[in-house]
């Protein structure tokens, strides 16, 4: 496809004041296409991270410092099991996004709806028993994560409510992943920004007991999150049913189980599922190492991770954009265009990674002080942030390159890089730095740096090999 044709298509499809401004500033049609998909995802992820940071700040600033530290720690202890549970649905989502992008590029729109229904159905099939398991075993799971008795006592009820919220969150992931496959990222952004804003308001009311509501503390935060995810589910289904998307969807149309679709979902999604399981297993082992340093240090770690999540957003946004555009281009059998999209997305993302790293390094103490006024927490968390700020360009670049590989259906190598980086390098080096060299939280975060740098080398080498161009999706 010629660059002028790409630019004309983007101009026709993009809407809104922001899109008009981008069209005037960006002359390269490839970059324009990338930004058209990436900016709504970036806005969505950034605002979601900011809202999540505000949630954590609300808990960290509860007047009772002992309760506040335990509340922040309990959220950290429950996040990783939740992410582990979400990994199953996200794996199906990776396969669904890659397939829908290919079918969209090839003009086979009728097959897209069937793929989405497969992902939604199997997502519910896995998420319901997982949610039930979490409800019944909340204390045991938190204990396994290394939580101290006080954090478990405060956080168990929070965990149970989050398990209910997980059902709606899993459902939402299926729909947003499908929409991103066709490059329709503005609607998920608008819905997620709205419900996250409502979540923050709900948190303020239910955590502190405003407007006559009971002061529920950390349980109030979970209740608000579950309600927000339910609202998002309703709004996403309503959007699809109205027929305003190029992704056709209706509950009235009969669902036809297709073994070929299932095989593709398993073939593409299974490595991503295993990758996510390995990632979460590695992170859980990592958290067990950090939690052994005590509740206050773990609270500092959790604040640092909460801030670090904001730095992931640029890599994730550009990675999703590259995944969609690479898959779409390969659907059109244009490998040269797919390569251009992947390379320019990586370049743009790396530049933003440098900017994010600079901001994190300079403003580390200020950002941490928004969460807590505890000097020990501020010192430990800000020091850890300065360490991780250095690796930001490599982290962002590897997230984008991995997204390009997934968009092509090459999900096996990101699995290998995650296994080596997280489960081996991060865990072993963190153990050595913390327990042998006694470097505390700083040592643990040095393990994160080594992990990110190694994964950057591995996925970069895989992309340059070019084998992703020959992967076939039937």
């Amino acid at each position: 496809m010629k660059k002028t044709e790409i630019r004309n298509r983007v101009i026709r499809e993009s809407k809104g004041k922001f899109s008009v401004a981008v069209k005037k500033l960006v002359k390269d049609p490839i970059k324009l296409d990338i930004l058209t998909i990436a900016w709504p995802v970036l806005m969505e992820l950034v605002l979601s991270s900011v809202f999540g940071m505000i949630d954590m700040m609300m808990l960290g600033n509860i007047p009772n410092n002992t309760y506040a530290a335990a509340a922040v720690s309990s959220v950290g202890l429950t996040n990783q099991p939740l992410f582990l549970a979400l990994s199953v649905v996200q794996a199906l989502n990776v396969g669904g996004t890659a397939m829908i992008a290919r079918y969209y590029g090839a003009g086979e729109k009728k097959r897209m709806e069937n793929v989405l229904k497969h992902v939604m159905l199997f997502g519910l099939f896995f998420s319901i028993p997982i949610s039930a398991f979490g409800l019944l075993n909340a204390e045991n799971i938190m204990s396994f994560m290394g939580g101290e008795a006080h954090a478990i006592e405060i956080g168990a009820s929070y965990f149970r409510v989050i398990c209910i919220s997980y059902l709606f969150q899993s459902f939402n992931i299926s729909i947003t992943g499908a929409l991103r496959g066709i490059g329709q990222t503005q609607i998920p952004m608008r819905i997620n920004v709205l419900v996250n804003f409502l979540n923050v308001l709900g948190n303020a009311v239910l955590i502190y007991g405003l407007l006559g509501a009971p002061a529920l503390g950390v349980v109030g935060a979970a209740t608000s999150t579950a309600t927000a995810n339910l609202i998002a589910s309703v709004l996403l289904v309503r959007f699809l049913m109205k027929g305003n998307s190029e992704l056709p969807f209706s509950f009235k149309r009969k669902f036809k189980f297709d073994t070929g679709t299932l095989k593709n979902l398993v073939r593409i999604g299974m490595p991503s599922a295993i990758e996510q399981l390995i990632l979460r297993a590695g992170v859980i082992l990592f958290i067990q190492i950090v939690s052994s340093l005590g509740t206050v240090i773990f609270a500092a770690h959790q604040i640092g991770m909460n801030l670090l999540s904001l730095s992931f957003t640029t890599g994730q946004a550009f990675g999703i954009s590259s995944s969609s555009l690479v898959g779409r281009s390969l659907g059109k059998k244009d490998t040269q265009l797919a390569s251009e999209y992947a390379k320019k997305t990586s370049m743009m993302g790396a530049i933003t990674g440098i900017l994010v790293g600079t901001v994190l390094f300079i403003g580390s103490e200020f950002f941490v002080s928004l969460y807590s006024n505890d000097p020990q927490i501020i010192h430990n968390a800000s020091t850890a942030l300065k360490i991780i700020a250095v690796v930001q360009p490599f982290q962002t670049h590897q997230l984008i390159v991995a997204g390009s590989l997934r968009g092509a259906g090459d999900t096996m190598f990101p699995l290998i890089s995650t296994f080596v980086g997280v489960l081996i390098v991060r865990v072993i080096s963190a153990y050595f730095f913390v327990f042998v060299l006694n470097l505390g939280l700083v040592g643990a975060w040095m393990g994160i740096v080594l992990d990110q740098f190694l994964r950057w080398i591995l996925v970069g080498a895989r992309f340059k090999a070019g084998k992703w161009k020959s992967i076939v999706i039937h």
Side-chain angles (χ1 to χ4, degrees):
M1 183 183 291
K2 295 180 180 179
K3 290 189 175 183
T4 53
E5 294 175 358
I6 296 173
R7 185 175 180 83
N8 290 336
R9 174 180 56 74
V10 175
I11 291 173
R12 287 195 307 270
E13 294 176 356
S14 57
K15 298 177 182 179
K17 293 181 179 179
F18 186 92
S19 300
V20 172
V22 170
K23 286 183 287 188
K24 291 180 179 179
L25 292 173
V26 181
K27 302 302 181 183
D28 185 337
I30 300 291
K31 292 181 179 178
L32 179 60
D33 221 354
I34 292 166
L35 287 173
T36 300
I37 295 177
W39 82 260
V41 180
L42 180 59
M43 290 295 294
E44 175 189 345
L45 294 174
V46 167
L47 290 173
S48 294
S49 293
V50 169
F51 287 136
M53 291 161 64
I54 293 172
D55 292 350
M56 192 72 72
M57 291 174 194
M58 288 180 179
L59 292 173
N61 285 285
I62 290 175
N64 185 328
N65 284 342
T66 302
Y67 181 93
V72 171
S73 294
S74 67
V75 172
L77 290 170
T78 57
N79 274 348
Q80 292 309 318
L82 174 65
F83 294 152
L84 179 62
L86 285 171
S87 66
V88 177
V89 181
Q90 288 171 332
L92 289 170
N93 179 54
V94 168
T97 300
M99 292 173 67
I100 287 172
R102 286 284 186 108
Y103 294 150
Y104 183 68
E108 300 180 46
K109 295 184 179 181
K110 290 183 179 180
R111 302 182 71 178
M112 297 192 302
E113 180 180 10
N114 190 253
V115 172
L116 173 57
K117 288 183 175 179
H118 275 79
V119 174
M120 292 169 67
L121 181 64
F122 284 101
L124 288 173
F125 176 79
F126 286 111
S127 61
I128 291 174
I130 290 173
S131 178
F133 179 81
L135 281 166
L136 295 172
N137 296 279
E139 288 90 354
N140 292 333
I141 294 172
M142 294 183 70
S143 177
F144 174 77
M145 292 295 298
E148 296 182 346
H150 188 46
I152 295 173
E153 181 185 355
I154 289 174
S157 297
Y158 170 87
F159 194 4
R160 289 191 172 92
V161 178
I162 287 297
C163 284
I164 298 172
S165 176
Y166 162 72
L167 293 173
F168 306 120
Q169 192 173 358
S170 300
F171 184 76
N172 299 342
I173 286 173
S174 301
I175 298 176
T176 55
L179 290 173
R180 287 169 178 171
I182 65 171
Q184 192 163 34
T185 53
Q186 292 195 28
I187 296 302
M189 175 200 70
R190 292 171 185 170
I191 291 174
N192 279 302
V193 168
L194 172 63
V195 298
N196 275 293
F197 177 72
L198 295 175
N199 184 28
V200 168
L201 293 180
N203 281 340
V205 171
L206 295 177
I207 290 174
Y208 301 118
L210 304 180
L211 304 176
L216 299 177
V218 71
V219 176
T223 303
S224 180
T225 298
T227 304
N229 280 323
L230 172 60
I231 294 172
S233 297
V234 173
L235 294 176
L236 285 167
V237 171
R238 182 172 174 266
F239 169 74
L240 286 178
M241 294 294 290
K242 287 174 69 176
N244 293 331
S245 172
E246 290 191 76
L247 176 63
F249 183 86
S250 174
F251 287 113
K252 295 180 180 179
R253 282 191 286 272
K254 187 177 179 180
F255 170 72
K256 183 180 179 182
F257 178 77
D258 181 64
T259 55
T261 299
L262 181 59
K263 286 179 181 178
N264 275 327
L265 285 174
V266 171
R267 181 170 62 86
I268 300 172
M270 185 58 70
S272 288
I274 297 172
E275 178 191 355
Q276 287 297 317
L277 290 172
I278 289 172
L279 173 63
R280 296 309 162 193
V283 171
I284 287 171
L285 291 173
F286 178 77
I287 283 178
Q288 288 179 323
I289 294 171
V290 178
S291 64
S292 69
L293 298 171
T295 298
V296 173
I297 299 299
F298 187 73
H301 165 76
Q302 186 56 34
I303 290 171
M305 291 301 295
N306 195 247
L307 284 164
L308 183 60
S309 69
L310 185 61
S311 76
F312 279 104
T313 57
T314 52
Q316 290 171 326
F318 282 107
I320 288 169
S321 179
S322 184
S323 181
S324 175
L325 292 168
V326 167
R328 190 189 303 181
S329 301
L330 292 176
K332 296 173 182 175
K333 303 188 184 305
D334 193 337
T335 56
Q336 183 179 355
L337 182 59
S339 294
E340 281 197 69
Y341 277 131
K343 290 176 182 177
K344 289 191 177 181
T345 308
S346 298
M347 177 191 67
M348 294 164 70
I351 292 171
T352 58
I354 293 172
L355 296 175
V356 170
T358 303
V359 172
L360 280 179
F361 190 91
I362 295 173
S364 58
E365 291 187 6
F366 167 74
F367 294 137
V368 175
S369 69
L370 297 175
Y371 290 81
S372 175
N373 55 12
D374 187 318
Q376 189 178 3
I377 290 178
I378 292 174
H379 171 73
N380 280 278
S382 61
T383 304
L385 275 180
K386 287 177 180 176
I387 293 172
I388 203 67
V390 178
V391 82
Q392 286 304 302
F394 308 106
Q395 171 188 286
T396 304
H397 189 268
Q398 73 93 359
L399 286 170
I400 295 170
V401 175
S404 301
L405 293 174
R406 292 187 185 101
D410 186 358
T411 52
M412 182 58 72
F413 206 80
L415 158 64
I416 295 170
S417 67
T418 299
F419 176 82
V420 175
V422 178
L423 201 56
I424 297 178
V425 172
R426 181 188 295 198
V427 173
I428 293 177
S429 61
Y431 184 92
F432 177 76
F433 291 141
V434 171
F435 295 120
V436 178
L437 299 184
N438 295 315
L439 295 178
L441 186 61
V442 169
W445 278 55
M446 286 171 63
I448 297 178
V449 171
L450 293 176
D451 158 38
Q452 291 288 353
F453 187 73
L454 179 64
R455 280 194 278 168
W456 171 69
I457 293 174
L458 291 176
V459 296
R462 177 65 173 186
F463 180 81
K464 287 180 180 178
K467 293 183 179 180
W468 55 272
K469 297 178 183 179
S470 58
I471 293 175
V472 178
I473 297 178
H474 298 288

